[in-house]
Amino acid sequence: MVFDVARVRGLYTSLGDGWTYLCAHAQPQIPERVSSAVARGFRLSSVVEFTDPFKSNHMLTPEGGRLGAESQFASARYAIADLTGTSPEAVVLAPSLDVLYSRLNQALRPVLRRGSLLASRADVRQIDHTDVHYAEPDLGNGEVPAWQYAKLVTGATRLVTLSAVHPQLGTVNNVARIAENVRDHSRAWVLVDATGLAGFSSIAVEDLGVDMVAVDCTAFGGPQVAALALRDVSMFPRMDMSAFINDVAPGLAAGVPAAVDHIANLVEQDRGRRRDRLMTSLEEAGGYLRYLADYLADSLNAMTRLHVFGVTGEVAFGSTAIRIPRVTFCIPGVPAETIHNRLITNRMVTTIASDDPVLTSMGLAETDGAITVGLGPYNTTHDVDQLVRVLASLA
């Protein structure tokens, strides 16, 4: 089966405006079916649901479900459950990932009361705790080595948190191996922010080997909704579940199933459960995105004046880390604002790299700023070639 990128591009009406969007890491393009679902969701979220279907036929979906607010929340949880391989009852929604982590700080206090927390120094979002130990990222490629966890995890460790992907370098951590090392040395829970992997590969709890998966739906073209999927509801008694309140806008929640359906249909399929279609689609889309990641990194690294963080240099040479199509680069002597404006002039959208502990350790502060490029399943190698052509006028 061949990934049909032309067909996928047709699912995004915004791509017809003449701009080249290389900012999937910050502002992914929104599929037409998602924007339509959100508009419909806001329109119908205030509809009152009745128990007698004969009195409310105008409120029925083609599948026979009602379209009130509670039904929209339920559909969103079912969609996230399919994406993460858990049950709808074990899914919690929040307005954003920052809000979700803030509530996790309270919810996990009973778990951490008599134990330590192991976090990654590379992560922007952290769980607050007095006894925290850190796993350090490799400053060559930004990956957090899995072998560290075999030494850092002890019987006192109660929670391990990490991100599956570095948000600006695009380096993928070996979450499954890390979780295996944690299991070998403790009974700690593993919480992973799988936002960077969503739409790239499976983020199912079982596949990652973790206990909790957090994901920001905007990463795959969904609405501004974050979700936490737990391994199962048996984890609830150990947590302060009162920290989680349902304050997501029903209209936004209506876009979550559409976004997950969009991932499931990146590869055209006629039959099968959504969870099965997700696996097939993610395998094909993931293969294409890995190819795009290599093409992007190699094309920029071939430009001698460019420095690609985590790719350029002897320290990063020979790295076998898996990457998603996301890079951060700088041109010595050229301010990032100049690069960004030159790209905008050529109708190419990127972002200026933000402060990050790993990038800072890699020397970002000693440069004139850097640019981050992120590609989605709607991007092509032609987009990368156009990027290189514009950068060549500066480098």
Side-chain angles (χ1 to χ4, degrees):
M1 189 180 296
V2 178
F3 186 76
D4 189 352
V5 66
R7 173 187 166 275
V8 171
R9 287 178 62 83
L11 304 177
Y12 300 84
T13 56
S14 59
L15 296 180
D17 62 2
W19 286 79
T20 301
Y21 294 98
L22 308 175
C23 53
H25 59 287
Q27 196 173 21
Q29 296 304 291
I30 301 175
E32 177 61 26
R33 71 186 302 164
V34 174
S35 56
S36 298
V38 170
R40 185 170 60 251
F42 275 109
R43 189 168 62 248
L44 298 170
S45 60
S46 59
V47 173
V48 178
E49 298 185 30
F50 298 93
T51 55
D52 184 354
F54 295 100
K55 295 181 181 179
S56 56
N57 287 336
H58 64 288
M59 293 182 293
L60 299 181
T61 66
E63 292 79 18
R66 294 186 176 85
L67 289 170
E70 290 304 318
S71 295
Q72 290 169 345
F73 292 137
S75 296
R77 292 190 180 97
Y78 269 99
I80 296 298
D82 282 345
L83 188 65
T84 58
T86 185
S87 64
E89 296 79 15
V91 173
V92 175
L93 304 178
S96 70
L97 209 55
D98 288 332
V99 172
L100 181 63
Y101 268 73
S102 175
R103 292 171 182 173
L104 270 170
N105 274 316
Q106 177 182 336
L108 292 170
R109 284 175 186 170
V111 177
L112 293 169
R113 185 174 293 123
R114 296 183 178 179
S116 62
L117 165 68
L118 176 56
S120 166
R121 191 83 67 179
D123 294 345
V124 176
R125 297 180 183 87
Q126 301 281 357
I127 299 296
D128 293 334
H129 191 52
T130 55
D131 187 7
V132 184
H133 305 273
Y134 290 99
E136 302 291 343
D138 185 326
L139 297 184
N141 56 25
E143 181 185 14
V144 181
W147 58 261
Q148 288 187 73
Y149 290 81
K151 298 183 177 182
L152 293 173
V153 174
T154 68
T157 306
R158 295 291 179 267
L159 179 68
V160 176
T161 67
L162 75 153
S163 294
V165 178
H166 188 279
Q168 296 187 89
L169 295 175
T171 310
V172 179
N173 295 319
N174 192 339
V175 177
R177 183 63 184 273
I178 290 172
E180 182 181 344
N181 287 340
V182 173
R183 297 278 181 272
D184 289 343
H185 295 84
S186 75
R187 299 178 63 183
W189 285 353
V190 180
L191 163 65
V192 61
D193 177 359
T195 298
L197 278 184
F200 175 81
S201 66
S202 172
I203 60 170
V205 169
E206 184 176 354
D207 292 341
L208 295 177
V210 300
D211 301 282
M212 294 177 282
V213 172
V215 62
D216 187 343
C217 296
T218 60
F220 48 89
Q224 291 180 331
V225 176
L228 176 70
L230 285 78
R231 174 172 30 83
D232 55 60
V233 295
S234 65
M235 299 171 64
F236 286 1
R238 292 187 59 190
M239 301 173 64
D240 179 8
M241 296 304 294
S242 65
F244 299 111
I245 59 175
N246 191 8
D247 56 350
V248 174
L252 293 179
V256 175
V260 176
D261 286 336
H262 169 75
I263 297 177
N265 291 319
L266 287 174
V267 174
E268 195 168 17
Q269 301 170 78
D270 296 329
R271 62 185 64 184
R273 298 183 309 161
R274 179 166 58 190
R275 187 172 293 184
D276 295 332
R277 288 185 287 114
L278 276 168
M279 294 301 102
T280 301
S281 187
L282 285 171
E283 181 178 357
E284 297 298 325
Y288 174 73
L289 289 170
R290 282 190 291 273
Y291 164 73
L292 208 57
D294 291 339
Y295 190 85
L296 173 64
D298 292 343
S299 297
L300 293 179
N301 196 37
M303 302 182 70
T304 55
R305 282 203 61 201
L306 257 71
H307 177 82
V308 185
F309 291 88
V311 176
T312 302
E314 294 182 2
V315 181
F317 181 77
S319 170
T320 58
I322 298 174
R323 304 180 59 85
I324 64 172
R326 190 175 302 177
V327 297
T328 295
F329 66 89
C330 68
I331 302 177
V334 182
E337 291 81 2
T338 301
I339 304 172
H340 185 258
N341 291 336
R342 179 67 62 87
L343 292 169
I344 288 292
T345 301
N346 286 268
R347 302 178 72 82
M348 308 186 78
V349 185
T350 59
T351 64
I352 296 177
S354 58
D355 291 336
D356 179 274
V358 178
L359 285 175
T360 299
S361 298
M362 286 182 170
L364 178 63
E366 282 70 49
T367 70
D368 294 304
I371 297 293
T372 300
V373 170
L375 307 182
Y378 45 79
N379 287 115
T380 66
T381 55
H382 176 71
D383 297 337
V384 178
D385 293 340
Q386 288 293 94
L387 172 66
V388 171
R389 178 187 62 80
V390 175
L391 293 176
S393 65
L394 293 169

